[in-house]
């Protein structure tokens, strides 16, 4: 998100917060952690101060590793914060002009983890990011987050006719080991296997008082034969050039299929982290939105000119909204969270826009979605070579909510600091006149500022502007 070679160009805004931290870990870090997690995510820079002109300057922390150890201790202390949503790579040391700073990348929290609060006090310790920085949430805002967190998707349904014997112990152990590496010291590490499955919505207590797997638990960790008994239409397949049209069916659960498919899909992109990230996001998106009780199953295809991800089930929101970001309604929310806990998937509303942006790097063509009905099916294509314009991607006719467009613009300006309107339009995939109209609105609302005139006007986020 941040170019650390030019950190002096950045300003505090709705996604970036700088703190001196020369005397140790500031308490305000946790207020900002809560506010970023409950809003749109953001980056906290420790060992950085603002100059009189609001520009950033690195200070060189005396003991950055000691600071990181303290961050992890407090992250995993429920008396400080109620949930740790960071992964191992979220906290790290960076060098700016030879000076050491600590970077904390806070993602937008999953719906099931909200509200994220501090000091073991939900109604006084929950924050969000606004126009004046971090602000304490009202009880009404907190209650809305709690209601959203309680909403259950179909994959959370308990299969009370099944015992936990239908789950593959080796898969669960692999999953837990991966989570331990990504989220060291997480509270779930101390759980027994049954308690762990309950915490991630893979199992629950039935009316008979016994533990049973959820639909999500069976799909993610289940033995193949047990999955087929419960879901006869279950099918996940991989197709390469030269294999039959229906592809090679994989006889395993979703966790196993994901890493088997990713190993194949990454071949050909050894030097492109952005491309690999986009591929992983595309596969997660496919698996968490599939309707596994519909016929056809999941099909992942790899060809010389494209990668394609196809799943049964139509979009649950307008595809334009999904592409714009900020709105999410995945069909399998528990499976989505399971992937998020092991660092796969970008979380609520942000995965698809980031995937599009990552894939378009190095001049790769823009991805596109196709929807088919009777039966319902959604297909995402990542083109590798230039193809004729796809008629379904007519951005001029798409209806995208204004707030989503503004979030896309803010995301771009967070990454590049300054940009012309034409550059922003190219990044977000919308017509230039439309982007200009929204930039003018955002300037009137105090969200962005502009410098210069005409085509050379440069736009950037206003300090501490909130969306």
């Amino acid at each position: 998100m941040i170019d650390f070679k030019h950190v002096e160009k950045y300003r505090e805004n709705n996604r970036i917060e700088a703190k001196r931290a020369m005397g140790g870990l500031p308490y305000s870090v946790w207020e900002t952690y809560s506010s970023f997690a409950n809003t749109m995510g953001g980056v906290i820079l420790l060992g950085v101060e603002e100059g009189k002109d609001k520009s950033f300057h690195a200070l060189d922390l005396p003991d950055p590793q000691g600071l990181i150890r303290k961050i992890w201790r407090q992250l995993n202390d429920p008396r400080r914060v109620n949930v740790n949503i960071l992964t191992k790579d979220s906290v790290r040391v960076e060098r700016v002009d030879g000076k050491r700073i600590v970077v904390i990348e806070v993602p937008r929290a999953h719906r099931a983890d909200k509200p994220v609060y501090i000091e073991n006090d939900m109604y006084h310790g929950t924050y969000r990011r606004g126009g004046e920085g971090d602000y304490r949430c009202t009880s009404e805002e907190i209650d809305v987050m709690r209601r959203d967190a309680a909403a259950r998707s179909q994959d959370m349904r308990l299969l009370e006719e099944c015992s936990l014997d239908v789950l593959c112990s080796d898969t669960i152990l692999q999953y837990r080991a991966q989570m331990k590496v990504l989220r060291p010291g997480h509270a779930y590490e101390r759980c027994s296997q049954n308690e762990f499955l309950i915490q991630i919505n893979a199992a629950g207590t039935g009316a008979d008082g016994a533990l049973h797997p959820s639909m999500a638990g069976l799909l993610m960790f289940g033995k193949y034969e047990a999955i087929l008994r419960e879901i006869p239409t279950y099918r996940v397949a991989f197709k390469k050039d030269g294999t039959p049209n229906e592809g090679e069916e994989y006889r395993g659960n979703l966790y196993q299929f994901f890493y088997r498919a990713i190993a194949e899909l990454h071949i050909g992109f050894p030097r492109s982290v952005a491309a690999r990230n986009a591929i992983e996001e595309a596969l997660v998106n496919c698996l968490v939105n599939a309707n596994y009780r519909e016929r056809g199953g999941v099909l992942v295809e790899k060809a010389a000119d494209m990668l394609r991800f196809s799943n049964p089930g139509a979009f649950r929101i307008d595809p334009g909204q999904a592409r714009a970001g900020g709105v999410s309604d995945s069909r399998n929310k528990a499976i989505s969270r399971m992937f998020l806990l092991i660092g796969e998937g970008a979380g609520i509303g942000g995965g698809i826009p980031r995937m599009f942006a990552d894939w378009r790097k190095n001049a790769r063509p823009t991805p596109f979605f196709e929807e088919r009905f009777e039966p319902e099916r959604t297909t995402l294509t990542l083109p590798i070579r230039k193809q004729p314009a796809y008629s379904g991607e007519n951005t001029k006719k798409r209806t995208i909510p204004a707030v989503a467009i503004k979030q896309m613009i803010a995301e771009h300006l967070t990454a590049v600091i300054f940009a012309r309107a034409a550059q922003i339009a190219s990044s977000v995939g919308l017509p230039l006149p439309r982007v200009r109209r929204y930039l003018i609105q955002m300037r009137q609302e105090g969200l962005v500022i502009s410098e210069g005139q005409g085509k050379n006007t440069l736009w950037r986020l206003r300090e501490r502007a909130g969306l």
Side-chain angles (χ1 to χ4, degrees):
M1 179 181 286
I2 292 179
D3 180 1
F4 291 101
K5 293 180 181 178
H6 301 286
V7 72
E8 74 282 351
K9 295 182 180 179
Y10 289 87
R11 305 288 188 274
E12 283 196 346
N13 55 50
N14 61 313
R15 286 197 181 89
I16 302 176
E17 176 84 12
K19 300 180 186 294
R20 286 176 52 85
M22 295 301 287
L25 185 65
Y27 174 80
S28 61
V29 161
W30 302 115
E31 295 175 353
T32 304
Y33 169 81
S34 170
S35 74
F36 279 157
N38 291 321
T39 315
M40 295 169 66
V43 179
I44 304 172
L45 304 176
L46 303 181
V48 175
E49 68 175 353
E50 282 188 304
K52 291 182 179 180
D53 61 352
K54 301 293 185 179
S55 64
F56 287 167
H57 302 280
L59 297 173
D60 195 23
L61 291 169
D63 184 16
Q65 292 299 336
L67 202 61
I68 288 176
R69 287 193 293 272
K70 189 171 184 180
I71 290 168
W72 281 114
R73 281 199 303 272
Q74 296 194 25
L75 269 171
N76 295 305
D77 183 350
R79 294 170 297 181
R80 177 64 75 193
V81 296
N82 68 311
V83 61
N84 171 14
I85 63 170
L86 304 189
T87 66
K88 182 179 180 181
D89 296 333
S90 299
V91 186
R92 63 185 186 276
V93 177
E94 292 280 356
R95 286 188 178 269
V96 178
D97 296 329
K99 299 174 181 177
R100 298 167 300 175
I101 68 171
V102 169
V103 177
I104 308 173
E105 291 187 356
V106 183
R108 181 175 183 158
H110 190 279
R111 170 185 58 82
D113 290 327
K114 291 183 181 179
V116 175
Y117 56 89
I118 64 175
E119 298 303 322
N120 207 24
D121 189 341
M122 181 186 301
Y123 282 97
H124 290 90
T126 299
Y127 292 81
R128 271 185 168 161
R129 196 74 167 172
E132 298 301 321
D134 305 328
Y135 72 89
R136 184 176 283 116
C137 290
T138 65
S139 58
E140 289 80 9
E141 288 177 296
I142 294 168
D143 288 341
V144 168
M145 284 188 269
R146 293 181 68 190
R147 285 195 296 271
D148 287 344
R152 299 179 65 83
S153 58
Q154 284 296 310
D155 65 335
M156 297 181 191
R157 182 175 66 84
L158 286 185
L159 306 176
E160 299 204 36
E161 67 281 5
C162 298
S163 71
L164 295 186
D165 291 341
V166 301
L167 304 183
C168 175
S169 296
D170 287 346
T171 304
I172 297 169
L173 290 174
Q174 292 169 16
Y175 179 93
R176 295 194 70 174
Q178 188 173 358
M179 185 176 167
K180 183 175 182 179
V181 170
L182 285 167
R183 300 176 184 271
H186 195 284
Y188 292 176
E189 278 186 32
R190 299 186 291 274
C191 294
S192 67
Q193 181 158 300
N194 287 352
E195 289 171 340
F196 177 79
L197 294 172
I198 293 170
Q199 289 294 332
I200 65 171
N201 285 317
T205 305
D208 58 358
L211 282 180
H212 301 279
S214 67
M215 179 69 76
L218 180 65
L219 286 166
M220 195 73 167
F221 306 118
K223 299 172 183 175
Y224 180 66
E225 295 77 12
I227 298 175
L228 281 185
R229 283 197 300 270
E230 177 63 31
I231 314 169
T233 52
Y234 173 80
R235 182 177 183 274
V236 288
F238 190 90
K239 181 181 185 300
K240 293 191 290 186
D241 277 344
T243 58
N245 289 336
E246 64 272 13
E248 179 184 349
E249 186 170 352
Y250 183 71
R251 300 173 66 85
N253 53 49
L254 295 185
Y255 180 86
Q256 295 164 344
F257 174 73
F258 178 83
Y259 287 103
R260 176 76 171 269
I262 283 300
E264 291 277 359
L265 293 168
H266 278 181
I267 297 173
F269 303 94
R271 298 182 180 179
S272 178
V273 175
R276 295 198 298 273
N277 288 343
I279 291 167
E280 291 173 15
E281 183 62 45
L283 183 53
V284 169
N285 178 76
C286 178
L287 297 178
V288 304
N289 286 297
N291 184 346
Y292 292 97
R293 292 199 177 277
E294 290 294 324
R295 63 185 182 275
V298 168
L299 178 60
V300 178
E301 301 175 71
K302 181 180 182 181
D305 60 346
M306 62 82 190
L307 305 178
R308 183 172 289 150
F309 306 81
S310 180
N311 62 270
F315 263 104
R316 288 159 63 92
I317 61 174
D318 179 82
Q321 289 181 316
R323 187 187 184 284
V327 182
S328 176
D329 188 17
S330 60
R331 183 169 276 106
N332 300 295
K333 292 182 172 62
I335 295 175
S336 175
R337 182 165 181 255
M338 289 175 191
F339 275 116
L340 192 63
L341 286 171
I342 55 172
E344 303 293 353
I348 302 299
I352 292 176
R354 188 173 301 174
M355 176 194 65
F356 272 59
D358 281 342
W359 188 254
R360 287 201 304 259
K361 291 177 181 177
N362 297 321
R364 279 182 289 268
T366 300
F368 57 85
F369 284 102
E370 298 172 88
E371 274 190 294
R372 195 175 70 203
F373 300 91
E374 297 182 8
E376 291 185 350
R377 195 162 190 87
T378 302
T379 301
L380 167 65
T381 299
L382 304 184
I384 297 173
R385 299 173 182 167
K386 292 288 185 182
Q387 298 174 336
Y390 173 60
S391 59
E393 273 291 295
N394 190 335
T395 55
K396 294 183 179 180
K397 295 182 180 179
R398 274 202 321 243
T399 301
I400 302 176
V403 67
I405 294 175
K406 292 174 183 177
Q407 287 173 337
M408 293 169 69
I409 293 172
E411 185 77 42
H412 183 73
L413 291 177
T414 299
V416 302
I417 314 171
F418 294 92
R420 294 182 175 85
Q423 295 168 323
I424 299 171
S426 175
S427 172
V428 302
L430 293 172
L432 177 58
R434 192 174 182 190
V435 168
R436 281 182 174 145
R437 287 198 300 272
Y438 278 104
L439 283 168
I440 292 170
Q441 286 184 22
M442 292 172 73
R443 182 172 59 190
Q444 293 169 345
E445 294 166 359
L447 301 174
V448 300
I449 60 176
S450 60
E451 299 175 6
Q453 295 181 340
K455 294 182 179 179
N456 293 322
T457 300
L458 291 174
W459 298 85
R460 68 176 173 86
L461 288 177
R462 190 180 185 88
E463 289 82 0
R464 291 185 175 274
L467 270 182

